[in-house]
């Protein structure tokens, strides 16, 4: 049994909040470059080039890539042979977020109640997702999620009889309805299966997978490519001004579900699909 202080987790989260907001992941940068090279719409190429200039400036000057520094979504994979010490894990996660957003001068965007809407002033609480896995390490991923794109996400409890075509129609309709609102080019995370809540979780988790990797199941890898092609044929384009590049990637995650159900969720992210990981 390995002992690990929750204070180390808080320290890591503070760093990751800042780094995730200042550095666009390499896979997203590569996807933008690929789309730029394939784009034949002058306006779209210009916007993609501006996007590249923006993330280079952010990295060089240690500034946020986007003014919406998001809600801090924190994913923890906790080894079952780890004994956490020195306090409450949830409190440590929030302490890390609180410190990271203060030290990084990041915008605090969280309100304490969804209807009364008083800002908490420190971007807490974090949206915490935890899983117990084999081993004696803790894998921490911080994924700040902006709400221009989050607001365009959706979940649908489809009937099994609607099948694959129903899933594809729902996804394409959701992206088409989003239009320019999620600041395209977007990344489309899709969750299929489980329950109402699990499908949404899968869709959000799908945004963490590298864009130049394919689903390990050839059936879903082919579906990812088909959906990406159809989404990019919508003509929305970068920032909604037209072109070939509406989406940088489509990632699908699945899990078993009930015989009477076919839950499907779409979690849209803008091109600033931020995530940073550290293993303790």
């Amino acid at each position: 049994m390995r002992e690990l202080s929750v204070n180390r987790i808080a320290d890591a989260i503070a760093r990751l909040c800042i780094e995730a907001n200042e550095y666009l992941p390499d896979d997203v940068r590569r996807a933008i470059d690929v789309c730029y090279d394939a784009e034949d719409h002058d306006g779209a190429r210009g916007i993609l080039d501006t996007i590249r200039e923006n993330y280079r400036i952010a990295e060089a000057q240690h500034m946020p890539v986007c003014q919406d520094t998001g809600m801090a979504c924190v994913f923890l994979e906790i080894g079952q042979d780890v004994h956490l010490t020195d306090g409450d894990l949830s409190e440590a996660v929030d302490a890390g977020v609180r410190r990271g957003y203060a030290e990084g001068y990041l915008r605090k965007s969280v309100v304490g109640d969804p209807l009364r809407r008083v800002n908490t002033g420190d971007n807490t609480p974090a949206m915490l997702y935890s899983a117990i896995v084999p081993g004696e390490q803790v894998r921490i991923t911080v994924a700040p999620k902006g709400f221009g794109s989050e607001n365009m996400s959706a979940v649908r409890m489809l009937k099994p009889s609607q099948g694959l075509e129903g899933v594809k129609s729902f996804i394409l309709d959701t992206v088409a309805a989003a239009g320019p609102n999620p600041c395209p080019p977007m990344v489309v995370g899709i969750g299929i299966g489980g329950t109402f809540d699990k499908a949404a979780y899968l869709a959000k988790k799908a945004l963490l997978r590298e864009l130049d990797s394919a689903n390990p199941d050839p059936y879903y890898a082919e579906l990812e490519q088909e959906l990406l092609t159809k989404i990019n044929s919508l003509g929305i384009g970068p920032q909604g001004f037209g072109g070939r590049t509406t989406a940088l990637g489509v990632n699908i995650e699945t899990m078993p579900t009930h015989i009477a159900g076919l839950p499907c969720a779409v979690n849209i992210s803008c091109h600033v699909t931020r995530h940073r990981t550290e293993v303790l």
Side-chain angles (χ1 to χ4, degrees):
M1 181 69 70
R2 177 194 174 203
E3 289 196 348
L4 179 66
S5 172
V6 295
N7 295 323
R8 289 190 60 194
I9 294 176
D11 290 343
I13 289 173
R15 287 193 300 273
L16 293 172
C17 284
I18 297 171
E19 292 174 3
N21 272 292
E22 292 182 354
Y23 303 104
L24 202 62
D26 289 341
D27 63 304
V28 179
R29 298 183 188 211
R30 289 192 295 268
I32 292 171
D33 287 342
V34 168
C35 290
Y36 177 84
D37 291 340
E39 187 61 71
D40 56 9
H41 185 289
D42 288 342
R45 284 175 65 86
I47 293 169
L48 290 171
D49 204 34
T50 300
I51 286 171
R52 296 195 296 187
E53 181 183 9
N54 177 70
Y55 71 65
R56 289 169 184 150
I57 292 171
E59 179 176 353
Q61 298 189 12
H62 298 287
M63 299 173 65
V65 179
C66 177
Q67 52 81 27
D68 183 353
T69 54
M71 291 191 82
C73 298
V74 178
F75 295 80
L76 298 181
E77 294 181 7
I78 304 169
Q80 63 186 15
D81 295 323
V82 175
H83 175 217
L84 298 175
T85 64
D86 297 326
D88 180 88
L89 176 60
S90 295
E91 291 179 1
V93 169
D94 282 346
V97 170
R98 186 177 299 114
R99 181 154 30 105
Y101 274 73
E103 293 176 357
Y105 301 98
L106 306 175
R107 196 183 85 184
K108 288 82 173 174
S109 303
V110 175
V111 294
D113 181 273
L115 294 181
R116 288 171 288 191
R117 309 197 70 79
V118 177
N119 199 296
T120 63
D122 58 12
N123 223 55
T124 68
M127 299 295 104
L128 178 59
Y129 308 89
S130 60
I132 304 299
V133 299
E136 56 179 20
Q137 294 180 320
V138 175
R139 181 182 179 88
I140 307 165
T141 299
V142 174
K145 189 66 167 69
F147 260 62
S149 58
E150 189 78 356
N151 284 337
M152 297 297 104
S153 302
V155 62
R156 180 75 56 81
M157 302 303 289
L158 298 167
K159 297 179 178 67
S161 59
Q162 292 175 269
L164 175 60
E165 291 308 311
V167 167
K168 290 194 286 190
S169 293
F170 166 60
I171 294 165
L172 293 172
D173 288 348
T174 300
V175 174
N181 294 301
C183 294
M186 63 188 81
V187 178
V188 183
I190 298 167
I192 306 173
T195 54
F196 176 85
D197 55 313
K198 279 290 190 177
Y201 165 75
L202 289 172
K204 187 166 295 295
K205 187 179 178 183
L207 296 175
L208 305 181
R209 203 182 84 216
E210 292 199 355
L211 295 178
D212 40 17
S213 67
N215 190 294
D217 184 331
Y219 176 86
Y220 287 105
E222 183 178 344
L223 181 58
E224 289 174 342
Q225 285 302 309
E226 178 187 346
L227 288 168
L228 180 60
T229 298
K230 289 182 175 179
I231 288 170
N232 282 331
S233 296
L234 294 173
I236 298 169
Q239 301 301 304
F241 290 107
R244 296 175 178 268
T245 312
T246 296
L248 298 173
V250 174
N251 288 349
I252 299 173
E253 296 291 326
T254 67
M255 70 181 303
T257 191
H258 192 278
I259 57 171
L262 180 54
C264 183
V266 178
N267 195 203
I268 295 176
S269 179
C270 64
H271 74 274
V272 186
T273 300
R274 299 158 289 192
H275 46 84
R276 200 81 167 182
T277 298
E278 184 170 330
V279 178
L280 299 179

